[in-house]
Amino acid sequence: MALKGKDILSLREMSAEDMETILSTARSLKEILSRPIKKVPTLRGKVVCTLFYEASTRTRTSFELAAKYMSADTVSIAPSGSSVQKGETLADTARNLEVMGVDVVIMRHSVSGSCHFLAKVLDCPVVNAGDGMHEHPTQGLLDIFTILEYKSKIRGLKVAILGDVFHSRVARSNIWGLTKMGAEVAVAGPSTLLPPSIENLGVKAFNRVEDAIEGADVVYSLRLQLERQTKSLFPSKREYHDMFGLTKRRLALAKEDALIMHPGPMNRGVEISTDVADSPRSVILDQVTSGVAVRMAILYLILGGRE
Amino acid sequence: MHVSTVEKAEIMDQDQIRRALIRIAHEIVERNKGLEDVVLVGVQRRGVPMARRLAKYLAEIEGREVPVGELDITLYRDDLTLKADQPIVGRTHIPFDVAGKKVVLVDDVLYTGRTVRAALDALIDLGRPQNIQVVVMIDRGHRELPIRADYVGKNVPTSSKEVIHVKLTEVDGVDQVVIAEYE
Amino acid sequence: MSGDLFIRNGRVIDPLSGRDEIAGVLVRDGKIAAVGCGIDGGAAPVIDATGKVVMPGLIDLHVHLREPGFEEKEDIESGTAAAAMGGFTAVACMPNTEPPVDNDAMVTSLLKRAREVGRVRVYPIGAVTKRRAGKELAEMGEMKAAGAVAFSDDGSPVATSEVLRCALEYLKSFGATLIDHPEELSLSEGGQINRGLVSTIAGFRGIPAEAETIAVFRDIAIARLTRGRLHLTHLSTKESLDLVRQAKSLGLEITCDVTPHHLTLTEDAVLETAYDTNTKVNPPLRSKADVEALKNALADGTVDAIATDHAPHHVDDKWVEFDYAENGISGLETSVSLILDKLVRPGVISYLRMAELMSLNPAKILGVEGGTLRERAPADITIIDPDFEHSVNPRQFLSKGKNTPFEGWRLTGAAWATIVGGEVRMKDRKLTS
């Protein structure tokens, strides 16, 4: 349990032990969400700051609620509006927050490695809420948490991750987390959307999604990141859906009790068809609930006070 | 995080523990004039098996099933900032409404009173009980808060260099209460 | 200083003659008077070079002095001070200043400024095209007459094949070298580091090796077409060197250089330093296989020179998120130590080869004097202490640019004295006024 005061920057750098600690703590904390009074006093007087250079309602709200359920105070900065336009650097913005008494900074940024940079600038812990194409560690953890609620173990599970792996920080975090816990991971997507040497991360890579879905216990559909692409890496959304979309027909290749997952927000009818997204095997909403519990666990574990 | 201790003496053996719990079960029935609206909540960790045993004895005495809940008070502790690592958070599972109930809180040792205080906060966050009563196997003195137990297995005066271990078969493989000293 | 010196008892290296022996070097009036054993120094001030290595002055043919226009990053005074400390007696500076050096007036003013504040010789490199915009040829003839030694649009590649062809043809009239920065921009656009496993793990769009090799291929083809003098700078990939090797075997007048950082770091540095922007450079740090190929090419003669591509930056340009950081490494003060510690010591190259790569060949490529210690040559001399152990500490750099990925590296070997025209500019790791 050596997480106190630590940064949460990537699952690649997180030990399997620390992952287990976070997951089992999340299990115990999840019950708070169903209480009539959704509050425990544990982080009273702590200040949790979200610093989101990239817009996100879902992840930011999830972190804020996690903090509030633990009685922490929250402050939410979206620099696109204010000081960034005046040319203030990330280092200056963050240090100003720190000297105001913020105890942890949770940052989302469009540049890979920027949370590592922030961790060099700040003394207080930094939590990566998504940096460029690099990682989204809390998403990886909540995805694993969700799988464990239904499958009770990760080792030996066949997980298929489909879509725009190249631009996906969610895919990378999941690959690191799942392989570390012993899952067999396969990724599939058009060649232009698979990054170089991806097999060196311990996964199988396919260009046909059918090959990855075959016999899978979990089918994970990635968002097509239209906003992150500057070049035309595939001709149209229609062709993408026809050739690579997660449809009912393709899903039938997976195991009967396979879980359907998606990090959200979904492009319905593009990477995932509506009937699959809304089917009873979809655990997409469970992922969201898990997200709050996992983030509560992380805040609890890293914010225990000063040395 | 374990501080090492050396066991000095046995205070209660298996039979003594059994008799104490049976006696406490009778006291609960007597004081509450029956078991109407009575619920048991065991404080993690050893309060939970204790509470389950009490429920069994109460069922034998009054022929009535008393619901048992589990309460983890880690999130309500007042000493988290002093700890080097965050303690593990255990399970809280209270499958009934505490509102209006006579909640009998069950723990192994009453010492400074801070654990019971944390448990009171946790219970009250879950609803408004009619009243809260406290069962402990051992009261070892040295209260730092105005907290008292309603039902006590045994009073054992101790010094702050000593520690009491209540061992229960469900957790420790044996029923025994020992007093030990810090090394 | 009068320009007279007697350097005694050092290991004298002269790549032109192949000399590698303990000898004395006598300097008179700023020129080499004699080299050999048993020389009488007369009244000349003595430098005891026992245990040290005496080479012809090192020439860095690719340096950014940033003046005019970017003086917060570096200027001629600080840049040449850094050069002197680093053991260089001359630097050739690239024209990507603001305004760029694309006319003779700029060349003249640069040389004037260098005479006023420069610590070592400064050779201006003029732009190939006006404003380095890649469209119209700049007045290269006038610039050469004013003192420019070579031409380049560095920072950028020469924009189109046609412009490159014209420039190479045109330069034949003046016998000057065109130095090209080979980069196919459409392949490197948006890329932050080398394309490969590291870029996948780190989450960056990568710059494929082909962004360089395609440009190298094009440049060699145009050089063959025109029979002009082409120098390819900061090559970083195995394939680029294979192409150069092949071109040389066909007898083409192609030369190339590599940087110390491409010889000593791989792309792994990006992850190992947790995204330190001091590892961000163009061309990017490449794979282990590329680094091995560069070392082999040094040894087999494919590579002609080592040049630092000294690219100092202000901390504000580097202490930012990776994508926003400027490319570049401040290299003048680590170059010699890295080459000594990582290449000469392990026996990859000899001192003679080092002097060839860092003095003789740069002089030939730029068409300037230097590179040898023969009689009547200018007394530009670098004295090296091969045993000096030290840690790289950018805070002590004389360059304004502290941007180095080598901070904390323990290296053995460093420049000990820098002598320009018989005048001592740096001795015992201190500048002389």
Side-chain angles (χ1 to χ4, degrees):
Chain A
M1 281 152 290
L3 285 164
K4 185 138 147 174
K6 289 285 186 64
D7 307 306
I8 307 287
L9 300 177
S10 73
L11 290 190
R12 181 174 73 93
E13 296 163 300
M14 187 182 287
S15 67
E17 210 180 274
D18 284 348
M19 284 177 56
E20 278 298 344
T21 303
I22 294 172
L23 292 169
S24 67
T25 305
R27 228 164 271 135
S28 305
L29 295 181
K30 188 172 169 180
E31 157 271 323
I32 298 169
L33 298 174
S34 37
R35 293 189 189 180
I37 299 182
K38 288 185 276 288
K39 222 160 191 46
V40 291
T42 322
L43 296 181
R44 198 170 76 93
K46 298 287 181 197
V47 181
V48 172
C49 173
T50 61
L51 183 61
F52 273 46
Y53 282 83
E54 259 185 7
S56 152
T57 316
R58 176 194 316 248
T59 305
R60 208 195 69 217
T61 307
S62 182
F63 270 109
E64 283 185 27
L65 284 175
K68 287 183 204 280
Y69 291 154
M70 306 288 288
S71 293
D73 293 315
T74 64
V75 66
S76 169
I77 317 276
S80 58
S82 57
S83 38
V84 153
Q85 279 175 357
K86 292 184 193 157
E88 189 179 41
T89 63
L90 170 58
D92 283 339
T93 304
R95 265 193 296 256
N96 279 313
L97 291 168
E98 189 173 39
V99 299
M100 283 195 262
V102 153
D103 294 296
V104 59
V105 176
I106 300 167
M107 182 166 77
R108 169 169 286 197
H109 199 297
S110 57
V111 173
S112 300
S114 46
C115 292
H116 281 79
F117 172 64
L118 190 63
K120 291 177 191 170
V121 171
L122 294 179
D123 291 325
C124 71
V126 172
V127 176
N128 182 0
D131 65 327
M133 306 190 324
H134 172 234
E135 281 220 37
H136 192 352
T138 61
Q139 179 76 42
L141 286 167
L142 74 88
D143 288 335
I144 291 172
F145 184 89
T146 307
I147 296 174
L148 283 170
E149 285 193 317
Y150 285 90
K151 299 286 183 185
S152 75
K153 70 164 169 48
I154 299 287
R155 186 162 297 278
L157 278 191
K158 294 182 76 172
V159 180
I161 300 179
L162 313 174
D164 185 356
V165 180
F166 189 99
H167 296 94
S168 173
R169 51 192 175 216
V170 170
R172 283 173 179 78
S173 284
N174 269 295
I175 288 171
W176 291 114
L178 287 166
T179 52
K180 216 171 282 226
M181 293 181 74
E184 280 175 41
V185 179
V187 300
S191 287
T192 46
L193 295 183
L194 292 182
S197 309
I198 187 71
E199 300 92 347
N200 289 59
L201 268 56
V203 306
K204 296 202 184 79
F206 301 104
N207 288 130
R208 292 178 68 242
V209 298
E210 289 84 348
D211 294 333
I213 295 179
E214 180 110 40
D217 297 287
V218 177
V219 182
Y220 198 113
S221 173
L222 293 172
R223 204 180 129 63
L224 194 58
Q225 309 241 15
L226 298 159
E227 69 277 11
R228 221 182 278 292
Q229 291 162 12
T230 53
K231 314 184 181 188
S232 46
L233 299 164
F234 56 89
S236 67
K237 288 193 263 193
R238 191 183 83 116
E239 172 142 325
Y240 185 87
H241 180 73
D242 284 346
M243 308 290 297
F244 303 101
L246 182 59
T247 58
K248 214 154 176 189
R249 190 171 45 82
R250 293 202 170 105
L251 183 61
L253 295 165
K255 290 211 177 95
E256 264 205 70
D257 59 349
L259 303 176
I260 298 159
M261 302 179 70
H262 191 294
M266 292 185 272
N267 292 314
R268 284 172 183 269
V270 183
E271 71 262 5
I272 187 170
S273 63
T274 283
D275 54 3
V276 170
D278 297 334
S279 85
R281 288 191 279 155
S282 158
V283 297
I284 295 175
L285 287 173
D286 295 83
Q287 286 172 271
V288 178
T289 314
S290 305
V292 184
V294 164
R295 289 165 179 137
M296 286 167 72
I298 285 172
L299 290 174
Y300 167 73
L301 288 164
I302 66 179
L303 276 186
R306 295 181 208 291
E307 301 308 311
Chain B
M1 271 217 351
H2 292 290
V3 205
S4 48
T5 55
V6 169
E7 288 188 8
K8 287 202 306 193
E10 182 184 86
I11 302 179
M12 292 173 82
D13 62 20
Q14 185 174 46
D15 289 325
Q16 289 167 305
I17 288 173
R18 181 178 47 83
R19 285 181 208 123
L21 284 174
I22 291 173
R23 189 237 323 142
I24 288 171
H26 277 103
E27 286 178 354
I28 291 172
V29 173
E30 186 180 11
R31 234 180 273 195
N32 290 287
K33 302 188 177 52
L35 292 176
E36 181 92 33
D37 286 336
V38 169
V39 298
L40 290 162
V41 173
V43 176
Q44 294 281 16
R45 198 176 164 204
R46 289 177 179 78
V48 174
M50 263 180 73
R52 294 205 190 284
R53 290 195 201 182
L54 277 173
K56 185 166 71 84
Y57 295 138
L58 288 172
E60 283 166 16
I61 295 167
E62 286 284 296
R64 193 185 166 115
E65 292 298 323
V66 175
V68 180
E70 306 174 19
L71 180 66
D72 184 278
I73 54 94
T74 312
L75 300 172
Y76 288 84
R77 292 169 67 145
D78 62 6
D79 63 345
L80 285 176
T81 51
L82 304 172
K83 298 218 137 261
D85 282 319
Q86 289 299 70
I88 317 174
V89 181
R91 191 170 107 119
T92 292
H93 182 62
I94 304 197
F96 46 81
D97 193 357
V98 301
K101 296 285 195 296
K102 302 173 187 170
V103 175
V104 178
L105 205 59
V106 182
D107 203 2
D108 54 348
V109 178
L110 177 56
Y111 181 28
T112 61
R114 294 184 190 273
T115 301
V116 172
R117 183 219 55 90
L120 295 177
D121 276 356
L123 277 175
I124 288 169
D125 264 1
L126 294 169
R128 191 173 190 279
Q130 192 187 135
N131 63 47
I132 299 177
Q133 303 157 44
V134 176
V135 169
V136 294
M137 183 67 74
I138 303 290
D139 180 345
R140 61 172 288 201
H142 297 282
R143 214 74 77 237
E144 291 172 5
L145 297 174
I147 299 274
R148 57 145 180 70
D150 299 282
Y151 313 93
V152 180
K154 193 174 170 76
N155 281 292
V156 180
T158 59
S159 79
S160 46
K161 282 196 300 261
E162 293 165 327
V163 68
I164 304 259
H165 293 310
V166 172
K167 300 183 192 176
L168 298 172
T169 309
E170 296 91 324
V171 178
D172 310 283
V174 67
D175 276 4
Q176 195 188 34
V177 179
V178 298
I179 187 164
E181 203 167 74
Y182 287 114
E183 271 181 348
Chain C
M1 296 284 196
S2 65
D4 284 6
L5 276 178
F6 181 54
I7 302 170
R8 193 182 64 194
N9 209 31
R11 179 176 171 182
V12 177
I13 306 286
D14 190 335
L16 195 59
S17 62
R19 185 198 299 271
D20 178 355
E21 60 181 358
I22 307 287
V25 178
L26 181 63
V27 172
R28 278 253 151 68
D29 283 329
K31 295 215 192 296
I32 308 282
V35 180
C37 305
I39 294 176
D40 176 11
V46 172
I47 294 183
D48 184 0
T50 308
K52 306 224 179 1
V53 177
V54 180
M55 287 194 183
L58 304 182
I59 301 172
D60 192 340
L61 63 77
H62 187 149
V63 160
H64 295 272
L65 292 179
R66 306 295 193 204
E67 184 180 339
F70 302 105
E71 289 86 351
E72 76 282 2
K73 298 175 195 262
E74 190 83 289
D75 55 40
I76 292 174
E77 182 171 9
S78 61
T80 55
M85 184 58 75
F88 294 94
T89 56
V91 296
C93 58
M94 285 296 179
N96 59 335
T97 49
E98 185 49 54
V101 181
D102 64 357
N103 60 75
D104 59 338
M106 287 295 302
V107 173
T108 303
S109 97
L110 205 70
L111 285 170
K112 176 165 177 288
R113 187 95 183 107
R115 272 192 303 277
E116 286 162 8
V117 300
R119 302 272 185 167
V120 304
R121 296 189 203 275
V122 175
Y123 295 122
I125 296 173
V128 173
T129 58
K130 288 186 179 140
R131 286 206 63 83
R132 295 172 50 247
K135 297 213 166 69
E136 298 173 37
L137 293 186
E139 293 171 320
M140 292 188 274
E142 301 279 7
M143 284 194 270
K144 182 129 201 308
V149 300
F151 298 92
S152 179
D153 276 348
D154 183 73
S156 313
V158 174
T160 62
S161 304
E162 173 63 5
V163 169
L164 181 64
R165 187 190 67 77
C166 291
L168 278 170
E169 282 283 7
Y170 189 64
L171 283 174
K172 282 181 353 195
S173 322
F174 312 109
T177 303
L178 190 150
I179 301 177
D180 196 30
H181 159 126
E183 185 180 348
E184 168 50 53
L185 294 172
S186 71
L187 284 178
S188 62
E189 195 189 323
Q192 302 296 323
I193 65 173
N194 188 37
R195 181 180 155 94
L197 178 60
V198 172
S199 69
T200 291
I201 293 174
F204 287 125
R205 194 180 314 277
I207 299 170
E210 287 72 10
E212 181 178 286
T213 54
I214 286 181
V216 168
F217 190 91
R218 172 198 84 158
D219 285 9
I220 290 175
I222 305 277
R224 176 153 67 208
L225 178 62
T226 58
R227 299 272 150 196
R229 275 173 63 189
L230 174 69
H231 176 83
L232 295 164
T233 186
H234 54 51
L235 294 184
S236 64
T237 71
K238 176 178 179 305
E239 291 82 5
S240 296
L241 293 163
D242 288 343
L243 288 170
V244 171
R245 196 177 285 116
Q246 190 188 48
K248 284 183 169 187
S249 71
L250 296 172
L252 294 178
E253 205 177 340
I254 308 246
T255 54
C256 69
D257 69 71
V258 298
T259 69
H261 48 269
H262 287 110
L263 286 165
T264 54
L265 288 171
T266 66
E267 57 195 342
D268 295 319
V270 176
L271 287 174
E272 282 162 13
T273 60
Y275 297 87
D276 186 351
T277 54
N278 290 321
T279 59
K280 186 174 176 185
V281 69
N282 189 22
L285 300 175
R286 301 279 191 189
S287 70
K288 286 190 196 58
D290 290 314
V291 172
E292 280 315 301
L294 258 68
K295 287 187 186 164
N296 292 339
L298 270 188
D300 76 12
T302 306
V303 171
D304 302 278
I306 292 173
T308 61
D309 190 6
H310 175 75
H313 284 293
H314 191 274
V315 62
D316 290 347
D317 298 319
K318 282 287 199 178
W319 190 239
V320 289
E321 302 90 303
F322 206 89
D323 285 16
Y324 308 151
E326 300 240 27
N327 283 307
I329 291 173
S330 173
L332 281 171
E333 291 166 272
T334 50
S335 172
V336 166
S337 296
L338 284 168
I339 300 303
L340 288 170
D341 190 286
K342 302 297 175 194
L343 293 173
V344 177
R345 249 171 187 264
V348 178
I349 58 174
S350 62
Y351 282 117
L352 274 172
R353 180 73 178 131
M354 177 183 170
E356 193 181 25
L357 289 162
M358 295 181 77
S359 184
L360 181 60
N361 287 350
K364 286 184 187 168
I365 291 163
L366 296 174
V368 301
E369 283 192 294
T372 173
L373 295 175
R374 69 168 166 208
E375 281 177 36
R376 288 196 296 277
D380 289 357
I381 302 168
T382 300
I383 304 181
I384 284 168
D385 181 349
D387 301 315
F388 179 64
E389 283 182 31
H390 62 287
S391 261
V392 175
N393 182 356
R395 276 167 298 283
Q396 288 173 348
F397 281 1
L398 296 179
S399 168
K400 289 185 190 177
K402 316 298 185 195
N403 46 311
T404 174
F406 300 106
E407 175 164 6
W409 281 41
R410 287 209 61 79
L411 300 171
T412 304
W416 182 79
T418 305
I419 298 161
V420 180
E423 292 182 6
V424 179
R425 299 292 166 88
M426 183 277 284
K427 183 159 170 283
D428 205 8
R429 319 281 309 145
K430 285 183 276 289
L431 289 185
T432 49
S433 47

